[in-house]
Amino acid sequence: MKKVYANATEALDGILRDGMLIAAGGFGLCGIPELLLQAIKESGVKDLTFASNNAGVDDFGIGILLQTRQVNKMISSYVGENAEFMRQYLSGELELEFTPQGTLAERMRAGGAGIPGFYTKTGVGTVIAEGKEHKEFNGETYILEEGIFADLAIVKAWKADDTGNLVFRKTARNFNVPAATCGKICVAEVEEIVPRGSLDPDCIHLPGIYVHRVIQGQHEKRIEQRTTRKKEEA
């Protein structure tokens, strides 16, 4: 089965539709599927729900879809760094399902494993627990969290082969693996596509069985907040 596509638009052809739940990998601006997000913006699909650790910044990452009002709900653990995200949420234009970071990662992992729900202590006694089932185990209270089963997963990796085996680099591994597994369809963008058999099996972070389509492209690799010392101090 062909998995390598020429560009992001081709890779998403026939997949996108209004009202989709999309799981997006990345941590801050590291390892985000920027080419696929741009293609989603250009497609014009709307009423999207995104499950993602964060929403990028105002003009990068998922932030570009917030600017065009193509997203109506975010399932996120972090809402900083994006003024438009905060503005839309505070004004009631954007629905937010605020989820603790570890819980969000586990909800994605659970979906990828076919697990519909799990109990966790995280969030007990806070607004996170409101409206959720509570249950006691060994005298401790837990809340029920549901697994995330996304219509589409978009991720960004360092390397891939033509069968879709993926290798992530450092921080980019955060959230990309669980996001990829919880999608009915997973599309990955990578920096390099290498010959089949050249990846060390022990170094593959995500087996190709989870990945349906792959593209190779150039990436900007922005830094959210660059912090440096003055030259005289260094």
Side-chain angles (χ1 to χ4, degrees), residues 111-131:
I115 299 171
F118 59 91
Y119 289 96
T120 177
K121 290 177 67 175
T122 304
V124 171
T126 73
V127 294
I128 300 297
E130 293 178 1

Side-chain angles (χ1 to χ4, degrees), residues 219-230:
H219 298 87
E220 188 173 337
K221 297 186 179 180
R222 288 198 195 184
I223 298 174
E224 284 175 274
Q225 293 187 19
R226 185 185 299 275
T227 304
T228 58
R229 291 178 293 174
K230 294 180 179 179

Side-chain angles (χ1 to χ4, degrees), residues 3-234:
K3 290 191 176 183
V4 179
Y5 287 72
N7 54 57
T9 300
E10 285 190 15
L12 293 172
D13 183 46
I15 298 176
L16 297 176
R17 57 176 172 78
D18 293 347
M20 293 186 82
L21 168 56
I22 301 175
F27 194 75
L29 295 184
C30 181
I32 63 172
E34 60 197 72
L35 305 178
L36 292 166
L37 288 169
Q38 182 63 36
I40 291 173
K41 174 185 175 182
E42 294 170 357
S43 75
V45 291
K46 59 184 185 299
D47 299 327
L48 302 174
T49 296
F50 267 88
S52 176
N53 179 56
N54 59 280
V57 292
D58 289 332
D59 61 347
F60 198 62
I62 298 174
I64 64 175
L65 296 171
L66 291 171
Q67 288 179 331
T68 54
R69 304 295 195 278
Q70 290 171 260
V71 180
N72 67 3
K73 180 178 179 180
M74 290 293 306
I75 305 173
S76 294
S77 68
Y78 180 63
V79 299
E81 311 297 340
N82 192 321
E84 180 61 17
F85 186 168
M86 290 186 284
R87 189 200 66 76
Q88 289 188 26
Y89 170 60
L90 293 173
S91 66
E93 299 172 37
L94 177 70
E95 183 180 353
L96 172 62
E97 186 176 327
F98 192 63
T99 307
Q101 192 170 79
T103 301
L104 179 58
E106 183 63 12
R107 289 182 65 190
M108 290 181 176
R109 190 205 67 81
I115 299 171
F118 59 91
Y119 289 96
T120 177
K121 290 177 67 175
T122 304
V124 171
T126 73
V127 294
I128 300 297
E130 293 178 1
K132 294 177 181 176
E133 179 187 331
H134 290 59
K135 190 167 184 177
E136 284 197 4
F137 294 90
N138 299 318
E140 299 283 351
T141 302
Y142 292 74
I143 56 175
L144 178 66
E145 293 281 1
E146 296 185 1
I148 292 175
F149 296 84
D151 299 305
L152 169 66
I154 54 173
V155 298
K156 191 264 179 180
W158 181 32
K159 292 182 180 181
D161 61 20
D162 67 334
T163 69
N165 291 315
L166 300 183
V167 177
F168 299 94
R169 191 166 188 272
K170 301 184 185 296
T171 306
R173 191 173 174 184
N174 289 351
F175 277 95
N176 268 303
V177 173
T181 63
C182 75
K184 295 176 183 177
I185 298 174
C186 175
V187 182
E189 60 182 71
V190 302
E191 297 178 34
E192 182 181 6
I193 297 177
V194 299
R196 187 181 303 188
S198 64
L199 295 176
D200 181 347
D202 285 336
C203 294
I204 293 171
H205 298 136
L206 184 72
I209 192 171
Y210 290 103
V211 181
H212 301 84
R213 300 181 180 186
V214 178
I215 64 164
Q216 180 176 330
Q218 298 295 317
H219 298 87
E220 188 173 337
K221 297 186 179 180
R222 288 198 195 184
I223 298 174
E224 284 175 274
Q225 293 187 19
R226 185 185 299 275
T227 304
T228 58
R229 291 178 293 174
K230 294 180 179 179
K231 186 175 182 180
E232 56 270 22
E233 294 176 354

